[in-house]
Amino acid sequence: MDHGSRSHSRSSSVSDTSQNSSFFQPIQGDSSETAYSPLSPMTNSTSGTLLDSMRSASTSTLFEGLQSTLKMRDGEITQLQDEIVTLERQRAAMAEELVSLSAHNQDLLQQLEEMPTLREKVKNLEQRYNAMLQMYGEKAEEADELKMDLEDIKAMYKQQISDLLSKMT
């Protein structure tokens, strides 16, 4: 959009209107004192219409003020557009993070659903472990008793061999 050409056409139409309209007209009367009526422009031989010059000055000041405001608004628009881009990037990143966290949450919920089954399995394994541990203890104790019995039998066998040898000699 070309703001300069549009503003220029507006300012030229304002100045054309001011030159063609007749707001102040001189009142006929004493030539030394010229009074002005609101219907004709006040004229001065050196500067043209006083009203035209006032309008021209205020129009250019207004135009400059509007240009300044327009530039400021354009800067604000650019800044806000940059902020929109930044916020859209953040939104996209947060959406990705939300998807990732949702998937992780689903995994955790599934694990939570499996938890009672796993606890039951652990309880059964602990019971079997304790039963096996008790059986192992019993078997170990039995093996120790058998070893001691074997030692006793060996000792008795050696004693018998010694007794037999001593009888033979």
Side-chain angles (χ1 to χ4, degrees):
M1 176 181 272
D2 184 27
H3 298 291
S5 63
R6 189 175 69 187
S7 300
H8 178 65
S9 64
R10 284 186 185 166
S11 66
S12 64
S13 66
V14 169
S15 64
D16 291 343
T17 308
S18 66
Q19 289 175 355
N20 295 331
S21 65
S22 298
F23 291 105
F24 295 99
Q25 295 178 353
I27 299 175
Q28 299 297 328
D30 187 11
S31 62
S32 64
E33 288 182 2
T34 305
Y36 292 94
S37 76
L39 300 176
S40 73
M42 294 190 283
T43 58
N44 185 333
S45 62
T46 59
S47 66
T49 308
L50 178 61
L51 185 56
D52 286 342
S53 64
M54 286 175 37
R55 283 187 181 160
S56 169
S58 67
T59 301
S60 66
T61 305
L62 178 63
F63 183 70
E64 289 172 3
L66 289 174
Q67 278 184 327
S68 171
T69 302
L70 181 62
K71 285 180 183 177
M72 185 174 67
R73 297 291 183 206
D74 284 343
E76 289 175 3
I77 288 171
T78 303
Q79 181 183 5
L80 290 172
Q81 287 172 338
D82 290 344
E83 190 173 335
I84 286 171
V85 169
T86 301
L87 290 173
E88 286 176 347
R89 285 183 188 148
Q90 288 176 350
R91 185 185 72 191
M94 288 181 167
E96 288 177 17
E97 185 176 356
L98 179 63
V99 168
S100 171
L101 290 174
S102 294
H104 184 67
N105 189 36
Q106 282 300 110
D107 291 343
L108 291 175
L109 288 174
Q110 185 178 4
Q111 289 176 7
L112 184 63
E113 288 176 4
E114 294 172 357
M115 191 65 73
T117 306
L118 292 174
R119 283 187 179 159
E120 186 65 31
K121 286 181 180 180
V122 167
K123 183 178 176 183
N124 289 338
L125 285 174
E126 284 179 347
Q127 287 174 351
R128 287 177 53 198
Y129 174 76
N130 286 335
M132 292 176 90
L133 190 60
Q134 185 176 357
M135 287 174 23
Y136 174 77
E138 289 173 0
K139 295 295 179 185
E141 188 176 312
E142 188 178 324
D144 286 342
E145 287 177 9
L146 288 174
K147 282 182 185 177
M148 289 183 350
D149 287 345
L150 186 59
E151 290 296 321
D152 288 343
I153 291 174
K154 281 183 184 178
M156 286 189 325
Y157 181 69
K158 285 182 183 178
Q159 184 64 34
Q160 284 178 356
I161 291 179
S162 293
D163 287 344
L164 282 174
L165 281 178
S166 61
K167 282 184 185 179
M168 283 184 143
T169 43

